Amino acid sequence: MTFALQERGVLRSHALAKRFAPHFHNTYSVVALKQGSAEITSRRWTGTAGAREVFFFNPYEVHSAHCPIQDTEYTTLYLTENFVAQCLNLELRDRVIDFENSIPGQGYETQELCDALFTPQTDGKFLELALRRLLTTCKFSIRSASKDSGTLVQRACSLIQQNATQAIKTEELAHKLGVHKSHLVRSFSKIVGIPPQTYLRQVRIAKAKELICEGLALSEIAAFMDFSDQAHFTREFKKVFGVPPGSLSRDICTPQRKDYRFKG
C-alpha cells in the first residue's frame, strides 16, 4: 500500500489485496477498482464490484471484502467531513451526512473519476473536480450528530470515539455504560460486526493516521495515543493498514509541525 496526500482534505492510497478483514475508517471512503473484482459485505449493503467501478463507505461503517480470482488493484480516497460538505454545498451544523449509494454504476461521472485516478500524472485539480461531480450524483441523507443518546451500542461507539487517545478495557467500557461485560460484547459484536476491542483499536489507529497527516513524529504519536512504545504502535497500525506507520509518513512527506500542542 502506498499513500499520497491530496489537497483539501483528501488522503489517497493505492494497493493490491485479495482479502479485506472487517474494518472501517473514520472518514468517508471512495474506492475505485483498477483491475480484478471484489465481493463486498457491510451492514448497509452487499454486492460485487468489478474493474472501473466505484463504491462508498460512510465513516465507521464496518466492511469486509474477498477477491475470488486474483489480487485486486484499487485506489481509496479518504475524505474528511468538511470536504464532503463543501462538495455538496452543505453546512453541517452538528449534522452528519450518510451516503445511501453502494455502487453508483458505470456512468460518465464514475468513468471520469477512474480516468483521473488511473491515468499517470493526472492533474490534482482534475481529480478533485471529477470527485466532486461524482459525489453530487449520489443519494444521501442527513442526521443529527448528537452523541449523548441512542442505543447501548451507539453510546459505546460514541464513548470509544470520544476517548480515542486512551486504551480502554472492555470491563471499564461496560462499567461506564452500566452493563455487564458479556452483554456489551454480545450486543456490540452483533450490531457493529466486530468486538469492542477491535473497534477501539481501529478508532485509535484512525486518530493516529490523522496525526501523521498533520506532520507529527511517530514517537510523539505513540506517546500521545497511550501505546506502550513505538513498536506497539507499529504493530497495531499494521493490523489495520497492512503497512507500518512509517510508510504513510514517508509517502505523504508532510513537514513535522513544531507548534503542535497536545490537548489532554
Side-chain angles (χ1 to χ4, degrees), residues 13-104:
S13 71
H14 186 79
L16 280 169
K18 187 172 182 62
R19 183 179 298 276
F20 310 80
H23 68 287
F24 63 84
H25 304 284
N26 66 337
T27 60
Y28 297 91
S29 304
V30 179
V31 186
L33 300 189
K34 184 176 182 179
Q35 62 179 18
S37 64
E39 298 172 357
I40 305 150
T41 300
S42 77
R43 190 164 186 84
R44 184 169 59 93
W45 65 279
T46 297
T48 300
R52 297 186 66 82
E53 287 191 306
V54 175
F55 48 94
F56 294 81
F57 296 111
N58 291 308
Y60 302 104
E61 180 179 354
V62 176
H63 54 280
S64 61
H66 170 67
C67 306
I69 301 176
Q70 60 184 11
D71 286 357
T72 292
E73 185 177 0
Y74 66 99
T75 293
T76 303
L77 299 174
Y78 306 99
L79 315 179
T80 64
E81 289 184 345
N82 286 338
F83 179 87
V84 171
Q86 290 171 5
C87 289
L88 300 176
N89 196 27
L90 295 172
E91 293 186 11
L92 293 180
R93 294 181 179 178
D94 296 322
R95 299 182 301 171
V96 175
I97 300 167
D98 286 326
F99 282 104
E100 299 177 359
N101 295 65
S102 51
I103 303 177

Side-chain angles (χ1 to χ4, degrees), residues 134-250:
L134 179 59
L135 291 178
T136 57
T137 68
C138 296
K139 296 180 180 179
F140 62 89
S141 58
I142 300 175
R143 59 180 171 84
S144 171
S146 174
K147 297 181 178 180
D148 299 323
S149 60
T151 66
L152 168 65
V153 173
Q154 289 172 334
R155 289 186 289 119
C157 290
S158 296
L159 190 59
I160 291 173
Q161 293 168 26
Q162 292 166 10
N163 295 275
T165 60
Q166 302 173 8
I168 307 174
K169 293 183 178 180
T170 305
E171 294 87 343
E172 181 182 356
L173 182 62
H175 178 73
K176 289 179 178 293
L177 294 167
V179 298
H180 193 275
K181 172 187 172 181
S182 60
H183 175 62
L184 173 61
V185 172
R186 284 195 303 270
S187 299
F188 197 100
S189 300
K190 180 179 179 180
I191 298 299
V192 179
I194 54 178
Q197 282 301 312
T198 303
Y199 187 91
L200 171 63
R201 179 173 65 244
Q202 295 193 16
V203 167
R204 283 162 52 72
I205 292 303
K207 177 62 178 178
K209 181 192 71 176
E210 292 180 358
L211 296 177
I212 293 173
C213 291
E214 290 182 18
L216 272 72
L218 300 183
S219 58
E220 291 183 277
I221 297 172
F224 179 59
M225 296 298 297
D226 198 27
F227 291 102
S228 57
D229 52 31
Q230 191 170 331
H232 180 209
F233 171 39
T234 297
R235 289 194 300 273
E236 294 302 312
F237 194 95
K238 287 183 68 175
K239 289 178 182 178
V240 176
F241 286 100
V243 295
S247 295
L248 171 58
S249 182
R250 288 190 298 271

